[in-house]
Amino acid sequence: MSKIRARIETGMERFGEFVFDKRWFVIVFTILLTAFMMSRLPQLKFDMSTEGFLHEDDPQNLVYSDFKAQFGKDEMIIVMISPKDVFDLKFLHKLKGLHDELENSLPYIKEVRSLINARKTTGTADELLVEDLMETMPKSEEELAAFKQYVVNHPIYRNLLISEDGSFATVIIEPVAYTSAEDSGEGDENGFDDFDADDSSEQAPDRQVLTNKENAELIAAVSNILEKYNDDSFPLRMSGSPVVTSYLKFVMQGDMKRFTGLAILTIAIFLFIIFRRFSGVILPLIIVILSVIYAFALISIFGVSIKIPTVILPSFLLAIGIGASVHLVAMFYHVYRGDNKKAAIADALGHSGLPIVMTSLTTSISLASFATAKVAPIADIGIFASLGVVMSLALTLLLLPSLLAVVPIKPTITPDQGERLSRMDRVLLRSCDLAVDHPWRVLIISGLIVGFLSVGLLRLEFSHDVLRWYKKQSAVRQNAELIDEKMKGSLTVEIVIDTGVENGLYEPETMHKLDELSKKISRYDDKKGVFVGKTMSLADMLKEIHQALNENRDDYYVIPDDLQLIAQEFLLFENSGSNDFEDVVDSQFRKARLTAKVPWSDSVSYVSFISSVRSDAAETFGDSASVTITGLVVLLMVAVDAMMQSMATSYTIAFVFITILMVILIGDVKLGLISMIPNIVPIVITMGIMGWVGINLDMFSLLIGSIAIGLAVDDTIHYLHNFKRYYLRSGDVREAVEHTMMTAGRAMLVTSIVLTTGFWLFMFSSMNNLFNFGLLTGFTLIFAFLADILIVPAILTLLTKGKTDSTVHESNRLSTEQHN
Amino acid sequence: MKFVNLSTRLICMATILFTVASTLPAGLESAELSALEVMQAVENRDDGETMISKLTMILIDKKKHKRVRKIMGFRKDYGKDVKSINFFLSPPKIKNTSFLSYDWDDENKEDDNWLYLPALRKDKRISAAGKKDPFMGSDFSYSDMNGLELIDWQYRFKKRSVKIKGIDCWAIEGVPKKERADKVIEETGYWKTETWVRKDIFMAIRSKLYVVEEVKSNKKIKYFMVGDITQIQGIWTAKKLSMKTTKNKRTEHRTILLFDDIVYNQGVDDALFNRQQMKIGPP
């Protein structure tokens, strides 16, 4: 094995010489490549939608698209007004003003609904009247009182347009689900083309989901209008899922910029502290910054959109990439005496090249293990972070030596640097001694800690609570929570009942079942945050019509039992000018939509709700209809499920691959397997702590495991690589360990500090999820470092006990002399 | 002899001129017509004092699903007023439903529209405010069926000659007169119309109707077309009518009306056009 290693090291030295010779070529090529990559950056797309959480062809996404194509979007912008009294003439006039202005000036909307244009279905002896609730504004106190009475007595408005206690009113804005091509103006005669065909072939303009930009435009427009109307007597709040997700994007983007900047700054500071020279700061930074640019350029080239988790990618790549450059640069300064750069570069690459390649590969693989994740943005991070690390490696091996060759560098002479580090050295050496002298103690105590904490693993729960990512004081969160409380929910679960036949919904039995299911579902309340505030369906509309056709008598608010009657009542309604049927049924009267209003909650909580709905539906309809459940909430829930699956698979893949690599690297199966212990321990500790403290496992903390394995393995590789070299030379464990500490150990400590700080920067985020992620990952890295400097030497000591062979010692000394 | 030749020639010329003049096709005169006069001619075109027909109504939604209804219709003109009654023959669930309509020329008189539902055993009045509302759930509104009130509109030629399917037409643009705009929009829902009229028979064969929407960013346009134009009993008739509703250039819905068994000017009793008849059914 050592022969192969020696050969590889020599190969690396040759490579270093080669790069030195070709340094200008490398530099020029890199400049050109960078120019190309940067030109791709402006085409980057953002996608902060919930649909983006799942892959485009995920069956759930397809069901959701079908639903939107038929019934429109289920995501509404909700404007809530809390006046002193809703039933007040002044307030109602202002409400009308607001309503009209929204209708007239907002882009990308399908409809605006409020008490102003809510449907009022009444009947006289002769007539069925379907009109707007406030077709004419009440003018006198009597009219106002009559109006109030009507609203209060008709349940369709409650918990939708007015709160149960009557103190809050809402305006609901429905955005379009799809936008089409720009109107080419009135001069087109294309409208007449399809006359002779009975079916018109599908239209030219392509369907495009409302983009983030358009969504943001809409929300900004609403916001501007609200500002004009907002005052003490007309306090306005805005919420709804489009708002929550839009601000999410805004915040995440801001965070991304901030962290990238901070990360660069922190790394620069540390580099300066360590190396005390300009080149020591700039060169490694160039390498990692380029790798970030390339990674994003690749994202753009592949047409992938940047999603919420992708936001951590820059600071992530910066932190991970810096280790390789630091090791190489450190080694270079160590061997460079001021005269022969070529030799110094070759030497540095010979020493550090192999471990750098190994660490990059293991990190890359552990990230790539996420590429198969069902959660699309996690898969994206997996792929592009993995590629970023590979590119970082290439840059470290090619560009960095070239730059070192070209840039003027002062040789190392700094004694004070040595003194500074000696404090560090003393700490490191003390830990060595501890591990070598008392290996059993170290191992047992570690084992106990891990054992205790791993119980916490059992208490870990998955969570995906988008609203609670926002800090408690954030306006977005508070508005959403208030609307949820007062209007009994601001999200919906959409249930589509397909009878399978045209006019299937004319059947009284079917309508009764629809009504029954609505009632069953509306009773759900898990007392933990998920409840159904209201259900709405065609059954309600039918009851409304039937009542109106029978002198508005309350006892006629029922489903009629005559099929002909149902068919004809629908016909009459259609003729009365309302197109409200479009919202709840298809034109064939085959599919009905049942909407259940729910509040924001952890997606995991919806799992029980959805399965309850499914069993209620099966119970009610049996085989007579097929029931589909979709909507934003369902997508969120499925994303959680996908997360859990991804985690299990990815961790397993990563673990297996890395173990294999470690075995190859170390050249010894037993040792290779054992070397995985210090890699697993930090993760178990962190997750255990999370379990005990009650921090939930979400999309971001999920990534911790993968990141931690990749980075912890880096430390272990460097450690073992150097240990093996020194042990072979000296035959003495203690000496080998100490020597390792002084070389690799120092670099490991430095990179661990840099990385931990880099991740702790996320604690500056305005989002709870990123805060936790940063905090926990930072700690995990500290544990990884400690595991490497304590557990590894302890194990090595035990394994090599009694093997201090003088023969080995002699032969090694000989070979060392030869080597030198 | 000269005298005789001259007067004979004069008489001949006069006769020729007179004959030619009297046989001039209407089209030549029309070179002088204003846009409004064209539209008036369209309105005044003979469409029979009475009409009996079998109508097939095909409703097509945006997913191309079709619903077919068969209707038997009776119409009678009373001067400028029009009464009509339509009986649904199929589909079975709405069979024997009928629809009665009185369209009064006097704009101060509200039109009467009634729908009889056999299962309810009652007839219900359709709200008058709903003139722009869809007729029987189709893309045709009541005002489409009854025609627009010309005096409310201002017409001008968009093109004095354009060929559609080889036939010369006028393209006429109409906008509501300013002082009547509110009423027009209230009643018809249109803020602009474009009509293509065949010069030879004064039939409007195409229309583009611009609909007012509450949500201003939704551009709704209806496209009206006719086809299968023939003469029945000397009266020019379009046996196929189509109305397509589009929103932001996407087709939302389409209705096709196919007329058959058309009989004009033949024994349509006044007694047909009342609420009792709705319950009795077609004669």
Side-chain angles (χ1 to χ4, degrees), chain A residues 259-261 263-264 267 285 288-289 291-292 313-323 754-755:
Chain A
F259 293 142
T260 313
I264 294 177
I267 291 172
L285 271 179
V288 287
I289 291 175
S291 71
V292 172
L313 197 57
S315 32
F316 183 69
L317 278 175
L318 287 171
I320 289 180
I322 207 75
V754 172
L755 285 171

Side-chain angles (χ1 to χ4, degrees), chain B residues 51-57 69-74 86-87 89 239 257-263 282-283:
Chain B
M51 173 172 153
I52 306 173
S53 62
K54 283 231 176 71
L55 166 65
T56 305
M57 180 191 278
R69 293 171 174 169
K70 286 205 184 336
I71 299 166
M72 183 154 183
F74 299 83
N86 291 287
F87 300 92
L89 303 175
K239 287 174 74 178
L257 302 178
L258 301 167
F259 290 88
D260 228 335
D261 295 347
I262 297 173
V263 178

Side-chain angles (χ1 to χ4, degrees), chain A residues 33 37 287-288 290-292 294-295 298 313 316-317 320-322 324 356-368 381-399:
Chain A
L33 182 63
M37 290 294 197
I287 303 299
V288 287
L290 282 180
S291 71
V292 172
Y294 292 177
L298 279 180
L313 197 57
F316 183 69
L317 278 175
I320 289 180
I322 207 75
I356 286 175
V357 169
M358 286 298 151
T359 56
S360 300
L361 278 179
T362 50
T363 310
S364 182
I365 288 175
S366 66
L367 289 168
I381 289 191
I383 297 170
F384 291 101
S386 173
L387 288 173
V389 168
V390 167
M391 288 186 292
S392 184
L393 173 66
L395 287 164
T396 307
L397 292 178
L398 290 167
L399 184 63

Side-chain angles (χ1 to χ4, degrees), chain A residues 103-104 106 109 124-127 180 183 186 188 191 194-195 200 203 205 563-564 568 575 587-588, chain B residues 61 64-65 67 93 118-119 124-125 127 136 142 192 208 216-219 225 244 248 250-251:
Chain A
E103 267 180 354
N104 289 335
L106 291 179
I109 57 170
T124 60
D126 273 350
E127 203 167 352
S180 25
D183 187 12
E186 299 152 21
D188 74 306
D194 54 6
F195 183 63
S200 37
Q203 20 249 332
L563 194 152
Q564 307 269 39
Q568 289 168 22
N575 267 281
S587 72
Q588 305 273 81
Chain B
D61 73 4
K64 320 286 179 49
H65 293 136
R67 299 161 82 199
K93 313 268 184 345
K124 288 285 179 186
R125 206 197 164 105
S127 163
M136 299 274 117
Y142 289 99
K192 184 162 121 165
K208 190 168 169 184
K216 290 287 184 289
S217 58
N218 286 336
K219 292 197 181 4
M225 289 187 280
K244 181 167 86 171
N248 292 334
R250 301 199 69 81
T251 301

